[in-house]
Amino acid sequence: MTILARILLAILLWPLAMSVWVSFTPSRYLQGPVREWSLQWYREFFSGPVWMDALLNSLGTAALSASLSILIALPAGLLMARSRFRGKAFVEGALLLPLVLPGVALAVGMLAVVRSTPLWGSQFSLAVGHSVLSMPVAFLVLRATIQQVDPALEAVARGLGAGPLQVFRFVTLPLIAPGVLASALFATVMSLNEVTISLFLATRYTETLPRVIWPNLRFAITPLVAAASTVLLAISLPALIGAGWWLRPRRANR
């Protein structure tokens, strides 16, 4: 099973490796470097105002989207992990619904809503759209993290006279901090790589990097697209590794 898992992982990662390899070619065609390696496509990427503006828009939108996701997912995770009430399963299903809905259907609905508000064309509206998709993932991570915290610790703090906010600030939050950081990183990566929502909600002033890559893939396939994809990969991969590191099992101190 271990060998099979490694083979499947290699098959899944092969397109990413090919994209990185092609990005160093001196040719204008999508072919890997054979005798000579070049950084010309990276120089063109970092010197192109359209690409750099899109990269900055992606980073800003991702940071805002991650913040919005945590603001919603954290209290929702606390509610689902610590409370029992009628309709709990329905509320939890509603929070997870964006994970199973078609991305195009979500994007069309968001477009209809956002176009009727003053938020249309703003980076905030794009971040809200991204957070709809990333919030359920953040919620799952935070709920699982909160469930691992012993409720007796919070009960002891309340018994010593701490209020709800004090219990959350000095007891719960420090214990779930790794989960909060991991969920923020997951939300950031999802926003950085989101295409469908960006195609519908982004404008010429809020274009993200995946939205700029998309028409270049359709009409002008050059190694510049591979370089742009590698830049996204270089940002996303450390974030995913960091999220996995924060979520790794920790041994209790003896």
Side-chain angles (χ1 to χ4, degrees):
M1 291 299 294
T2 302
I3 297 177
L4 179 60
R6 291 178 179 178
I7 293 175
L8 293 176
L9 181 61
I11 293 174
L12 292 174
L13 295 180
W14 180 250
L16 296 178
M18 287 295 297
S19 179
V20 175
W21 184 48
V22 169
S23 68
F24 292 100
T25 182
S27 173
R28 296 196 62 86
Y29 302 99
L30 287 178
Q31 59 184 27
V34 180
R35 299 180 180 177
E36 180 184 358
W37 293 60
S38 174
L39 295 175
Q40 69 173 10
W41 300 110
Y42 289 96
R43 288 192 292 267
E44 186 170 338
F45 174 85
F46 287 107
S47 63
V50 174
W51 294 98
M52 290 306 299
D53 287 345
L55 177 60
L56 294 176
N57 283 336
S58 290
L59 294 174
T61 302
L64 187 55
S65 175
S67 302
L68 292 173
S69 298
I70 296 300
L71 287 176
I72 299 173
L74 183 53
L78 286 169
L79 179 65
M80 294 295 110
R82 292 289 187 259
S83 302
R84 293 183 180 181
F85 55 91
R86 182 177 299 178
K88 179 179 178 179
F90 175 79
V91 174
E92 189 170 1
L95 290 170
L96 299 177
L97 190 61
L99 291 178
V100 297
L101 290 178
V104 174
L106 279 175
V108 171
M110 292 178 194
L111 177 63
V113 172
V114 174
R115 284 296 297 264
S116 62
T117 68
L119 296 177
W120 168 246
S122 66
Q123 191 176 46
F124 182 78
S125 65
L126 184 58
V128 170
H130 286 188
S131 66
V132 171
L133 295 179
S134 58
M135 185 276 297
V137 176
F139 165 73
L140 288 175
V141 174
L142 287 170
R143 185 190 61 179
T145 304
I146 295 168
Q147 287 175 340
Q148 295 176 1
V149 176
D150 189 353
L153 298 175
E154 300 169 341
V156 169
R158 289 193 296 269
L160 293 174
L165 292 179
Q166 290 177 314
V167 172
F168 174 75
R169 179 181 176 184
F170 295 107
V171 178
T172 309
L173 186 58
L175 293 173
I176 66 172
V180 174
L181 292 174
S183 59
L185 290 174
F186 280 131
T188 299
V189 172
M190 292 184 67
S191 176
L192 284 173
N193 295 277
E194 173 55 36
V195 179
T196 306
I197 299 295
S198 299
L199 287 175
F200 280 81
L201 298 186
T203 65
R204 57 178 296 188
Y205 302 107
T206 60
E207 282 188 323
T208 60
L209 192 53
R211 191 177 190 271
V212 175
I213 290 175
W214 175 250
N216 281 273
L217 282 175
R218 295 186 61 191
F219 305 114
I221 301 179
T222 68
L224 180 58
V225 174
S229 301
T230 303
V231 170
L232 268 181
L233 180 63
I235 299 173
S236 302
L237 189 58
L240 290 175
I241 294 174
W245 186 85
W246 281 110
L247 290 178
R248 78 192 192 283
R250 290 173 169 81
R251 295 181 180 180
N253 295 327
R254 297 182 178 179

